[in-house]
Amino acid sequence: MYKDIFKSILNIFFVFILLTSSALAKVGEVSFQSQPAQITRNSKKYLTEIDTPVKMNDKIETLDGSVKIIFVDDTKVSISKYSTLIIDEFVYDGNTKKGKVNLKASFGTLRYTSGLIAKNSKENIKITTPTASVSVRGTDFEIIVKETGESTFTLLPSQDNNGNIYVGSIEVSNATGSVVLTKAFQVTSVTSTLTLPSKPLIDENRKNNNVKIENQIKDKVDNEKTKKDNLDDFKEEASYIDFDNENQNSIFEIEDDKATFTSDNENKIKLIVPSVSDVSLKYDNKGTITEGVLNAGGSVSINIIQQ
């Protein structure tokens, strides 16, 4: 009997040590930010930088910028402007790839991408809002929380390590009931803790917009080889000529089947290419051609970057 009691006390002690260690340990880090966010930890406030560690019980508040966090199991959470996320619990065992995640989205917009914990212990992942909670079954989704607490959940398509697109599912619930989202771009809203989540509907506008983006990405990938193959041709056809105190009034003109870009008198740089070429050019006002690419087409485009 005393042996069993001792074992129970020992187990409780080990759990306490595990939770205490997890609270002190880094559970993730800031991988991207357009502007610094603010982390409140033990009543102290910190401004984030890239690689700033994130710990359990941290309260993360974005200001006029977005932040992306990568957790130790490769879970990714993107937090939009003026949003608040609290890491209530994050425990992960690197040996078993299992753990437990409890996050609280109290205001704003966040996007969640599942990591290893979702693959091995799906029942242990929960994200809560003021009016509902979502259980994750290995997928991507978005949460928008208004000032009133009303929460909107959108199931998004996911991509595996091989680039394959798939759709998981999420269950949105509160004390009054639950709904399960299983199709990409399905949306449900919960207006209060006393109302059922709305019937899931497809956001057609977002679905169509996503298709356009996917097609643009595909076209870009398909054109990468063409751009690379034409780069050597660009180097051969384009010539850089220094010139002295000539009076040049025009930045860009076409004459005698040649497209000529001329810098101002101060920078003294000239670029000449065949007018039938499609050239994308980046130029800064320090007198440097920063990038030039010969594309497949028949026009010359100029991008001047003021510095």
Side-chain angles (χ1 to χ4, degrees):
M1 174 179 176
Y2 291 108
K3 188 176 180 180
D4 292 337
I5 293 174
F6 176 76
K7 283 184 178 180
S8 298
I9 294 173
L10 194 61
N11 288 334
I12 293 172
F13 175 75
F14 281 130
V15 169
F16 174 77
I17 293 296
L18 176 61
L19 292 175
T20 303
S21 300
S22 299
L24 296 175
K26 165 184 168 182
V27 298
E29 64 183 22
V30 175
S31 63
F32 167 83
Q33 63 179 32
S34 61
Q35 294 286 342
Q38 177 179 274
I39 292 180
T40 302
R41 181 184 301 152
N42 298 327
S43 300
K44 295 182 179 179
K45 299 184 184 296
Y46 307 87
L47 287 179
T48 62
E49 299 177 349
I50 301 298
D51 298 330
T52 292
V54 174
K55 300 181 179 182
M56 202 162 73
N57 298 319
D58 278 358
K59 180 180 181 181
I60 305 164
E61 297 172 280
T62 57
L63 306 172
D64 188 20
S66 58
V67 169
K68 183 175 182 180
I69 297 170
I70 296 184
F71 290 89
V72 292
D73 75 318
D74 204 35
T75 292
K76 301 177 181 66
V77 177
S78 298
I79 313 170
S80 298
K81 293 181 179 182
Y82 304 110
S83 301
T84 303
L85 175 71
I86 299 172
I87 304 173
D88 278 340
E89 185 176 12
F90 194 102
V91 179
Y92 176 64
D93 186 335
N95 295 319
T96 62
K97 312 299 183 188
K98 293 183 178 181
K100 189 173 184 179
V101 179
N102 280 315
L103 305 178
K104 184 181 294 178
S106 57
F107 178 70
T109 302
L110 70 84
R111 174 169 178 158
Y112 180 97
T113 300
S114 298
L116 294 174
I117 292 178
K119 295 180 180 179
N120 299 289
S121 45
K122 298 176 183 177
E123 69 280 359
N124 289 337
I125 299 178
K126 185 168 287 187
I127 293 88
T128 62
T129 74
T131 54
S133 64
V134 54
S135 298
V136 183
R137 303 178 184 179
T139 189
D140 290 28
F141 63 91
E142 178 187 81
I143 300 176
I144 299 176
V145 182
K146 296 181 179 180
E147 291 181 351
T148 59
E150 179 181 349
S151 307
T152 301
F153 304 83
T154 304
L155 181 63
L156 300 172
S158 303
Q159 186 173 20
D160 63 21
N161 293 332
N162 297 318
N164 300 314
I165 303 298
Y166 69 95
V167 180
S169 64
I170 59 174
E171 181 179 7
V172 178
S173 60
N174 63 12
T176 63
S178 65
V179 296
V180 178
L181 278 60
T182 58
K183 298 179 181 179
F185 305 107
Q186 270 190 325
V187 179
T188 183
S189 295
V190 186
T191 57
S192 76
T193 56
L194 301 177
T195 58
L196 279 166
S198 65
K199 179 182 178 181
L201 297 174
I202 300 292
D203 185 340
E204 294 293 345
N205 290 333
R206 189 158 186 182
K207 180 180 179 181
N208 294 335
N209 186 55
N210 190 74
V211 171
K212 291 179 182 178
I213 293 174
E214 288 179 349
N215 289 335
Q216 289 172 359
I217 293 174
K218 182 178 182 301
D219 291 341
K220 183 177 181 180
V221 171
D222 291 342
N223 286 332
E224 284 301 319
K225 185 177 183 302
T226 302
K227 291 181 180 180
K228 186 176 183 300
D229 292 343
N230 286 335
L231 184 57
D232 291 337
D233 295 336
F234 169 78
K235 291 178 179 178
E236 291 179 6
E237 293 177 357
S239 60
Y240 295 82
I241 303 175
D242 290 329
F243 62 98
D244 294 319
N245 296 321
E246 298 177 4
N247 293 321
Q248 301 291 338
N249 297 320
S250 176
I251 292 179
F252 176 71
E253 58 185 30
I254 297 178
E255 186 178 356
D256 297 329
D257 293 327
K258 294 288 185 180
T260 303
F261 167 79
T262 305
S263 71
D264 58 28
N265 292 334
E266 204 173 62
N267 290 321
K268 299 178 172 54
I269 294 294
K270 182 185 289 184
L271 171 68
I272 304 175
V273 295
S275 62
V276 294
S277 302
D278 186 352
V279 178
S280 298
L281 175 68
K282 289 184 179 179
Y283 165 81
D284 66 26
N285 66 355
K286 294 180 181 178
T288 305
I289 304 296
T290 60
E291 182 181 341
V293 179
L294 178 65
N295 306 308
S299 64
V300 178
S301 62
I302 305 295
N303 178 21
I304 298 178
I305 305 172
Q306 296 295 331
Q307 295 181 340

